[in-house]
């Protein structure tokens, strides 16, 4: 499967005024510029959906740290996307409680329904499928997160209803990129 | 459920957590008022020491003792600071207790952090929240704003002369960030590898300054210790460690969930009385008493009290107090494989035994699970476990994995 083509890939290596403003706000609260690195990555990702090489460089320049250091931070985290993702990112919990409660069937149903594997995005750019460590909803296993929303007690049929309802929502909304 | 029987959870409301005024109507911020007006910081530390509170983040280190390691200075230079950090990175598989407190009663944590900061002399604090807890982030932000407006945060708190600034930091999903020194690196905006201990953070932590990192649940005990006193706190569990504990159960039990009980409740009580036993048709085969990094216990251990000493004596660790229950229709090798895959994926890659050892063990277990295992593989696993044991790696992730 190809990655979504709908996400604008910024060629310029500067940030927008809004992005600078939000990062500046973080900087007023923090001791050092570097301390804002995760927040800055999240801010830019909220605006652009993911962190391109250009974005990475722009952030590193603004925080006055080496790009390699910021790359070390960016690639460290599960919720910072260094590749384009779809409108809705699905994070399926694959940890122990979800394993015991049969998440593998839910996962199989998702893969079959969307025709994608882990790390892939649907051709229409709507969904990206990723795994996640324990989502802290073990009493409602199996659990997944779409965008910011957690969903529990899933079965291989209820998860399809869930995907359909997400797809049915106003697709103009940028829910999936609001991480 | 009353303030006296269920101090940590009686104010929990998951659908719509209490506003500051509703929280105060039911005893909220009374503990903080008492601590700030009736105790000196030194006395407050002594009070927590005397209470017997131990860290609920999993290691059970006595909280008051930990606080007493923070150097005290009558006057600080401009570059000197003491920090208080709440560890809300909860990512241990099978653990979901802190989430209840964060989403259900955010003001309790803020009140608790005011007390802790006062006791250790910190004027700045952070709540380090895992990135996936979006709802908690929203609710904490709201509560922080309310607390600021009501002067429970900021300068000259309630006219006591104590200043405390508290910020929310949301992470972006990585298990190792919960290890306190990795967490400190993450807060500094660095790659979150753990640091070698000693020096412990109490002496040299965030930006090289004295720092206390405490778990959400640990902190949430504080308002109640100051409001109701040490005798009351200890009366919950006279035979065991003090106070109450939030226990959990997950896996194929009848009613998975969380329950606040006196510290030292027997495993069987949590499993059978609270979680309703196994789902119908299933039998108990074994359980992990406190998260993925604790060792298996067996059905014969049901009367073991769930406190730090008793669970250790039974050959495991209390950890976070959340039971992960294995039933007789599940393959234990597949479960262990799942756990090890988690540790292999989440290894930060700094120490060779952990970076290479965890995936190696995964490969061996995959072989065994597919029925292609040989006796030599078991020996190999033992050897790997030895390489990854305590003292051979920088942090407890690898020993936790084996
Ligand atoms: N809540 C969760 O999501 C998770 C919890 N854990 C738990 O974490 C535990 C391991 O944590 P660690 O921090 O590696 O344990 P640790 O025993 O090294 O430290 C526990 C606390 O006591 C302090 N401490 C320990 N020895 C000290 C000394 N000699 N002097 C001064 N202070 C000292 C440490 O600074 C720390 O705050 C495990 O027991 C595991 O159950 C592990 C993963 C996730
Ligand atoms: C790999 C690893 C992950 C950890 N994750 C957490 C965590 O998510 N939450 C937590 O409170 N403690 C976690 N800990 C334990 C912390 O290092 C530290 O002991 C704890 O925050 C101290 O707080 P306490 O004294 O209040 O228990 C982790 C430890 C290790 C080794
Ligand atoms: S034991 Fe593993 S997780 Fe811990 S510091 Fe070493 S490599 Fe990183
Ligand atoms: S193991 Fe899946 S939510 Fe905890």
């Amino acid at each position: 499967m190809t990655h979504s083509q709908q996400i604008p890939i910024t060629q310029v290596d500067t940030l927008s005024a809004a992005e600078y403003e939000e990062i500046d706000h973080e900087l007023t609260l923090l001791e050092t510029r570097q301390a804002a690195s995760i927040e800055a990555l999240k801010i830019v990702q909220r605006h652009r959906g993911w962190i391109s090489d250009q974005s990475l460089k722009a952030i590193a320049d603004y925080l006055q740290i080496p790009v390699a250091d910021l790359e070390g931070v960016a690639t460290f985290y599960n919720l910072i996307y260094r590749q384009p993702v779809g409108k809705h990112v699905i994070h399926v919990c694959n940890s122990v409680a979800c394993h015991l409660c049969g998440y593998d069937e839910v996962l199989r149903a998702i893969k079959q329904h969307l025709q994608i594997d882990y790390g892939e995005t649907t051709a229409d750019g709507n969904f990206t499928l990723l795994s996640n460590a324990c989502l802290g909803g073990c009493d409602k296993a199996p659990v997944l997160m779409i965008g910011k929303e957690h969903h529990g007690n899933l079965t291989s049929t209820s998860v399809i209803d869930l995907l359909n309802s997400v797809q049915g929502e106003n697709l103009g909304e940028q829910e999936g990129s609001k991480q | 459920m009353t303030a006296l029987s269920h101090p940590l959870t009686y104010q929990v409301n998951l659908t719509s957590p209490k506003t500051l005024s509703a929280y105060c109507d039911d005893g909220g911020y009374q503990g903080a008022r008492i601590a700030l007006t009736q105790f000196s910081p030194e006395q407050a530390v002594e009070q927590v020491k005397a209470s017997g509170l131990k860290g609920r983040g999993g290691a059970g280190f006595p909280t008051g003792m930990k606080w007493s390691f923070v150097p005290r200075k009558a006057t600080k230079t401009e570059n000197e600071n003491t920090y208080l950090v709440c560890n809300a990175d909860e990512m241990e598989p099978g653990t979901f207790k802190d989430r209840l407190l964060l989403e259900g009663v955010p003001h309790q944590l803020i009140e608790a952090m005011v007390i802790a900061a006062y006791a250790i002399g910190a004027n700045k604090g952070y709540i380090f929240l895992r990135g996936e807890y979006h709802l908690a982030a929203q609710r904490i932000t709201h509560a922080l704003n309310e607390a600021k407006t009501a002067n429970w945060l900021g300068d000259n708190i309630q006219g006591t002369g104590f200043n405390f600034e508290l910020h929310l930091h949301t992470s972006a999903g990585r298990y190792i960030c919960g290890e306190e020194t990795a967490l400190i690196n993450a807060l500094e905006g660095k790659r979150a590898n753990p640091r070698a201990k000693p020096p412990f953070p109490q002496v040299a932590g965030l930006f090289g300054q004295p720092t206390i990192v405490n778990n959400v649940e640990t902190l949430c005990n504080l308002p109640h210790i100051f409001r109701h006193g040490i005798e009351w706190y200890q009366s919950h569990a006279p035979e065991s460690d003090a106070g109450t504990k939030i226990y959990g159960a997950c896996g194929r039990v009848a009613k998975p969930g969380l329950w606040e009980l006196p510290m030292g409740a027997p495993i069987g009580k949590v499993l059978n009385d609270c979680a309703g036993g196994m789902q119908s048709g299933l039998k108990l085969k074994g359980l992990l008493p406190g998260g993925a990094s604790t060792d298996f216990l067996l059905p014969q251990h049901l009367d073991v009290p769930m406190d730090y000493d008793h669970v250790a004596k039974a050959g495991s660790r209390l950890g976070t107090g959340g039971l992960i229950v294995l039933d007789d229709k599940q393959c234990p090798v597949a479960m262990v494989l799942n756990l090890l895959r988690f540790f292999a994926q989440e290894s930060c890659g700094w120490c060779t035994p952990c970076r290479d050892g965890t995936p190696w063990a995964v490969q061996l277990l995959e072989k065994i699970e597919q029925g292609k295992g040989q006796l030599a593989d078991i020996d190999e696993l033992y050897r790997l476990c030895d390489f990854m044991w305590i003292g051979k790696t920088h942090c407890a992730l690898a020993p936790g994995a084996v």
Side-chain angles (χ1 to χ4, degrees):
Chain A
M1 282 293 141
T2 56
H3 290 297
S4 156
Q5 296 84 22
Q6 303 178 341
I7 285 146
I9 297 176
T10 27
Q11 296 300 337
V12 280
D13 49 4
T14 58
L15 304 177
S16 69
E19 288 166 332
Y20 282 126
E21 198 176 308
E22 287 177 49
I23 296 173
D24 283 341
H25 173 71
E26 292 302 323
L27 289 173
T28 61
L29 307 174
L30 295 166
E31 279 78 349
T32 66
R33 294 184 80 80
Q34 181 172 20
S37 56
I38 304 174
E39 285 299 340
L41 287 164
K42 286 174 127 184
I43 287 167
V44 173
Q45 179 164 292
R46 210 179 299 131
H47 285 273
R48 306 178 184 206
W50 64 293
I51 302 293
S52 67
D53 290 347
Q54 288 91 342
S55 308
L56 191 79
K57 180 163 185 320
I59 300 168
D61 286 351
Y62 195 56
L63 297 182
Q64 296 161 11
I65 56 175
V67 182
D69 286 5
L70 190 66
E71 175 73 329
V73 172
T75 53
F76 200 71
Y77 294 99
N78 202 26
L79 299 180
I80 302 294
Y81 310 129
R82 283 289 278 116
Q83 287 180 12
V85 290
K87 213 165 264 166
H88 305 279
V89 184
I90 310 172
H91 287 266
V92 181
C93 173
N94 62 4
S95 290
V96 65
C98 292
H99 161 80
L100 292 172
C101 295
Y103 90 95
D104 48 341
E105 301 216 344
V106 174
L107 180 63
R108 208 174 299 131
I110 299 172
K111 286 182 178 175
Q112 201 170 30
H113 183 74
L114 297 177
Q115 290 292 304
I116 51 172
D117 208 334
Y118 272 145
E120 294 180 343
T121 299
T122 51
D124 61 6
N126 253 325
F127 292 104
T128 298
L129 182 62
L130 296 173
S131 65
N132 211 100
C134 177
L135 282 165
C138 323
D139 54 340
K140 301 177 196 68
V143 175
L144 59 72
M145 178 172 84
I146 304 185
K148 290 184 175 185
E149 302 290 327
H150 291 233
H151 304 271
N153 297 316
L154 296 167
T155 64
S156 48
T157 48
S158 75
V159 76
I160 305 303
D161 296 340
L162 174 67
L163 292 178
N164 286 335
S165 78
V166 171
Q167 184 126 29
E169 280 168 22
N170 180 2
L171 292 179
E173 261 185 16
Q174 301 239 309
E175 185 46 40
S177 57
K178 268 195 271 162
Q179 275 297 329
Chain B
M1 283 236 283
T2 69
L4 293 175
S5 67
H6 295 78
L8 298 174
T9 53
Y10 81 104
Q11 296 234 52
V12 164
N13 184 336
L14 281 175
T15 353
S16 154
K18 288 185 179 171
T19 60
L20 183 114
S21 71
Y23 176 71
C24 288
D25 287 347
D26 219 348
Y29 287 97
Q30 280 183 15
R33 194 176 294 281
I34 292 170
L36 267 58
T37 56
Q38 297 176 19
F39 291 81
S40 71
E42 291 81 1
Q43 287 170 334
V45 173
E46 287 309 312
Q47 184 79 353
V48 172
K49 240 191 219 172
S51 74
L53 172 63
K54 289 183 179 174
R56 307 291 199 238
F61 196 83
T63 306
M65 195 199 293
K66 182 156 113 182
W67 290 5
S68 68
F69 298 144
V70 174
R72 278 195 192 282
K73 283 204 173 162
T75 48
K76 289 180 189 161
T77 66
E78 209 179 298
N79 298 326
E80 284 178 331
N81 257 320
T82 300
Y83 293 99
L84 173 68
V85 180
C86 168
N87 191 341
D89 194 52
E90 184 163 75
M91 272 189 85
E92 176 86 338
T95 302
F96 46 105
K97 65 183 179 71
D98 295 341
R99 184 178 187 177
L100 178 79
L101 298 171
L102 294 161
E103 289 180 1
V105 50
H107 273 296
Q108 179 169 250
L109 178 63
I110 297 173
E111 178 183 2
M113 289 187 76
V114 172
I115 299 173
Y118 173 74
I120 64 167
N123 298 115
K124 192 157 183 181
Y126 291 95
I127 299 172
F128 188 99
L129 180 69
R130 71 175 292 192
E132 292 87 344
Y133 283 1
H134 297 288
L135 184 61
Q138 193 190 321
R139 291 179 172 180
I140 291 167
T141 305
H142 181 76
L144 283 171
N145 287 334
E146 279 189 317
K148 264 179 229 156
T149 310
N151 190 225
W152 274 112
L153 291 173
D155 288 343
N156 190 17
I157 290 175
Q158 306 295 314
T160 58
F162 174 59
N163 307 332
F164 182 52
E165 199 185 301
L166 180 57
H167 299 290
L168 174 67
H169 171 98
T170 60
S171 187
R174 192 73 198 254
Y175 175 67
I176 196 63
C177 291
E179 197 282 332
E180 59 179 4
T181 58
L183 184 152
I184 287 167
N185 275 335
L187 269 181
E188 291 183 9
K190 298 182 180 146
R191 194 180 164 91
N193 293 76
R195 298 176 178 174
K197 298 195 260 192
F200 283 90
Q202 296 91 308
V203 192
L206 190 57
F207 303 112
Q209 303 293 313
T211 304
I212 286 290
V213 181
N214 270 135
N215 172 259
V216 175
E217 187 187 356
T218 312
L219 289 166
C220 287
N221 279 273
L222 299 169
H224 312 289
I225 291 175
F226 283 90
R227 186 171 159 214
H228 301 299
I230 295 174
E231 266 171 42
W232 161 83
Y233 190 68
Q234 292 180 336
S235 70
H236 284 283
E239 305 288 309
S240 168
D241 301 312
T244 59
K245 172 84 191 81
I246 301 179
Y247 294 107
C250 63
R252 292 201 287 184
V253 297
K255 289 178 293 180
L258 294 166
W259 307 274
E260 182 180 6
L261 299 171
M263 175 61 96
I267 294 175
K269 185 177 165 81
V270 179
L271 179 61
N272 294 320
D273 298 0
C274 298
M278 305 301 293
Q279 288 179 11
S280 75
L282 301 177
K283 280 208 209 70
L284 172 68
K285 191 151 177 183
L287 53 86
L288 304 178
S293 61
T294 58
D295 283 327
F296 272 99
L297 292 179
L298 299 167
Q300 76 230 34
H301 290 120
L302 286 188
D303 50 7
V304 171
M306 287 185 74
D307 59 27
Y308 298 97
D309 294 346
H310 284 97
V311 181
K313 221 174 277 165
S316 185
R317 285 185 311 112
L318 176 62
T320 56
L323 302 177
I324 306 174
V325 183
L326 174 70
D327 60 72
D328 61 336
K329 300 261 166 72
Q330 302 260 0
C331 169
V333 179
M335 176 172 169
V336 174
L337 180 58
N338 176 278
L339 293 168
L340 258 178
R341 276 192 185 128
F342 166 81
F343 288 112
Q345 182 189 315
E346 295 296 332
S347 163
C348 83
W350 194 25
C351 324
T352 311
C354 172
R355 182 188 61 233
D356 292 352
T358 45
W360 194 348
V362 165
Q363 277 177 21
L364 288 172
L365 277 172
E366 277 170 349
K367 235 172 99 184
I368 296 173
E369 200 211 5
Q370 290 160 4
K372 293 183 204 143
Q374 294 160 349
L375 272 178
D377 294 335
I378 307 277
D379 291 338
E380 189 69 23
L381 274 174
Y382 273 118
R383 216 164 59 85
L384 279 174
C385 292
D386 185 46
F387 282 137
M388 290 190 273
W389 198 235
I390 298 167
K392 294 181 181 165
T393 55
H394 278 103
C395 90
L397 184 143
V402 308

